[in-house]
Every structure is written in structure tokens, then in C-alpha cells.
Amino acid sequence: MQGRFITFEGGEGAGKSTQIARLREKLVTLGLDVVVTREPGGSPGAEKIREMLLSGDAKDLGPRGEAMLFAAARADHVDTTIVPALKRGAWVLCDRFADSTRVYQGEAGVDPKYLDLLELAAVAGNTPDMTVLIDVPADIGLGRVSRRSAETGNGGPDRFEIDDAEVHQRRRRMFLDLANKEADRFVVIDGTGSADDVEDLIWNVVRDRFDLDAADVSAKAGGNG
Ligand code: Z5A
């Protein structure tokens, strides 16, 4: 039994974590085995690398070195979390994946051919079945992130949030370009509405794409529901 692999992409504050949690609820209700994970991170080894990357400790390596660290974390995450989950038939919902490297490290100037090689090695053929790009203008996403920081008192911006507005806008355009080039894999969702509205948009495409008719899902899930 082979599971499903869905990745979520977008800028900071797009609503990826919020929507992954909501989609997880729906899928679990249908009796499916669901694994929620994230990048960088998602496995014990990769979480250690996450800490280095987001704290800025790896910044001195430069964008190419950081890209290698993202790839090293991804390889471990794929091997130890994603592939075992897919093999047992789970649905894997992953907050960011290889497209984030293409956009963030690509925008930072790393040669796309070099990024392709890293992706080939790290992903090892485990391409997502679907990538949900939650698209919001950079100022809306960053506004949400700063409101969240003010409300939770959870420190300042991380290594990638501190970049200036133009960088965030370029990243948004790069995500949209990728979605255009790989239209079969990507679904672009307008993330500017309420969390409930965005949840409905995502559910409609996931349900249609994977033929998730509530009546027969439990049979597809092996009768666990
Ligand atoms: N990075 C990279 O450079 N290369 C790579 O290969 C990879 C990553 C994999 C990871 O940070 C960083 O690593 C990331 C790219 C880089 N850059 N940054 N920063 P992270 O994992 O810590 O952060 P993130 O992925 O950007 O997550 P985020 O900022 O938390 O955004 P989100 O998950 O998309 O949003 P959220 O947590 O669901 O929502 C943010 C807030 O908005 C929260 O208070 C929500 O309650 C609120 N929210 C959510 N939806 C809505 C709607 N619809 N309306 C209003 N408010 C909302």
C-alpha cells in the first residue's frame, strides 16, 4: 500500500501550518493514517540542522553551503520519516519541501543547476503527489507573522524573515513561476481569505484530486475508519 505525499509551500505567514492542521483533521476523520511533518526538520537529525539554519549560525557558509545543509536535512527526513510513512500507506502532509530550496536558495543566487543536483540526491525520486501553494502578498504574510510574534512574545524574526520586502516579493513570484511550470503537481490557493475560506478551497481540490468520497475512503484506508 502506497500513501500520498502532499507538500505545502508559500511565503512566511501564508497559513501553511494552520491549513495542514485543518486538512489533517479532515483526513483523520475519514479514517486515514496521517503524518504531519515539516522542513527543515521532520526527523531527529534534520531538526538539529534546522536549528543551525534558522538561528543564522550557518549563514557564514553562504547560500550554497546553506543549500547543502537544507539538502542534508531533507535526505534524512525523506529516508527516516517520509518514505517509511508512505510505505505503510500514510498520508504525509509536509510543511515546505524541495520547492522552498528552489525559491529561497535560488533567490539568494545559487545556480539552479546546482540546486537540481542537490534535489536529485536528497529527494531520491520521492516527488510530492500534490503541492499546495498558498499564495498571499508578502505584506499580508509578514503582517500575520509579526502579529503572531507580538501576541505570543516568541522572539524576533528568524534568519529568512529578516530579509527586506523586495526579497519576499521576488520569492512569491518565484513560487508562482514554479507552479506555472509544474501545473500538474501544483495547486495555487488564494490565501488572503479567512482561515475557514482557505480551508474550503484546499479541501475542494484535495477531495477532487484524490477522489476522497467519504463513503469509500474507509475502504481505501484499509477499513480503519
Ligand atoms: N527554507 C529555506 O530557505 N529553504 C528550504 O529548503 C526550506 C526552508 C525547507 C522555515 O521557517 C524557513 O526556512 C523559511 C524558509 C526557509 N523561512 N522563513 N522564515 P519556518 O518553518 O519557521 O517558517 P514558515 O514555514 O515560513 O512558517 P510560518 O511563518 O509559521 O508560516 P505559515 O506556516 O505559512 O503560517 P501559519 O503559522 O499557519 O500562520 C501564521 C499566522 O497567521 C498565525 O498567527 C495564524 O493564526 C495566522 N493565520 C493563518 N491563516 C490565516 C488567515 N487565513 N487569515 C488570517 N490569519 C491567518
Side-chain angles (χ1 to χ4, degrees):
M1 186 162 50
Q2 179 70 17
R4 299 290 187 183
F5 183 24
I6 306 179
T7 58
F8 286 70
E9 298 281 3
E12 289 76 18
K16 299 178 300 298
S17 320
T18 303
Q19 295 303 329
I20 286 173
R22 287 169 177 238
L23 179 59
R24 178 191 173 278
E25 282 296 301
K26 283 193 155 69
L27 295 175
V28 166
T29 304
L30 293 177
L32 295 164
D33 177 4
V34 184
V35 171
V36 168
T37 187
R38 67 171 180 185
E39 290 210 348
S43 62
E47 287 291 330
K48 288 184 195 150
I49 300 177
R50 175 186 176 91
E51 179 55 37
M52 283 175 70
L53 283 163
L54 296 197
S55 64
D57 280 353
K59 200 174 173 186
D60 288 348
L61 296 176
R64 201 166 73 112
E66 286 183 313
M68 291 178 100
L69 283 181
F70 277 111
R74 181 160 303 128
D76 188 59
H77 183 214
V78 166
D79 289 352
T80 64
T81 302
I82 296 174
V83 167
L86 292 174
K87 278 193 175 150
R88 72 164 194 264
W91 286 57
V92 176
L93 308 183
C94 186
D95 194 337
R96 298 192 180 281
F97 194 59
D99 298 304
S100 279
T101 302
R102 294 184 189 182
V103 167
Y104 283 76
Q105 283 60 58
E107 193 283 330
V110 183
D111 184 340
K113 287 194 198 111
Y114 182 82
L115 295 178
D116 285 348
L117 289 175
L118 289 176
E119 182 174 324
L120 194 70
V123 171
N126 297 287
T127 308
D129 295 302
M130 175 191 262
T131 297
V132 178
L133 171 58
I134 305 184
D135 178 52
V136 294
D139 56 331
I140 292 185
L142 293 172
R144 289 177 185 169
V145 169
S146 58
R147 264 195 304 283
R148 178 180 59 192
S149 302
E151 280 162 20
T152 59
N154 262 356
D158 71 26
R159 150 86 181 86
F160 297 93
E161 283 165 3
I162 54 170
D163 294 320
D164 64 36
E166 274 177 29
V167 172
H168 289 281
Q169 280 152 17
R170 272 200 300 276
R171 289 174 184 154
R172 180 189 183 201
R173 282 198 296 276
M174 289 173 77
F175 272 125
L176 288 169
D177 285 347
L178 278 181
N180 215 14
K181 281 190 197 120
E182 294 192 44
D184 287 347
R185 173 166 64 89
F186 273 92
V187 174
V188 181
I189 296 290
D190 176 1
T192 56
S194 71
D196 287 349
D197 290 343
V198 179
E199 177 183 344
D200 287 345
L201 292 173
I202 293 175
W203 178 239
N204 286 341
V205 291
V206 170
R207 191 191 51 210
D208 291 352
R209 176 77 66 100
F210 297 106
D211 195 20
L212 283 179
D213 189 319
D216 66 4
V217 145
S218 131
K220 284 178 190 162
N224 294 331

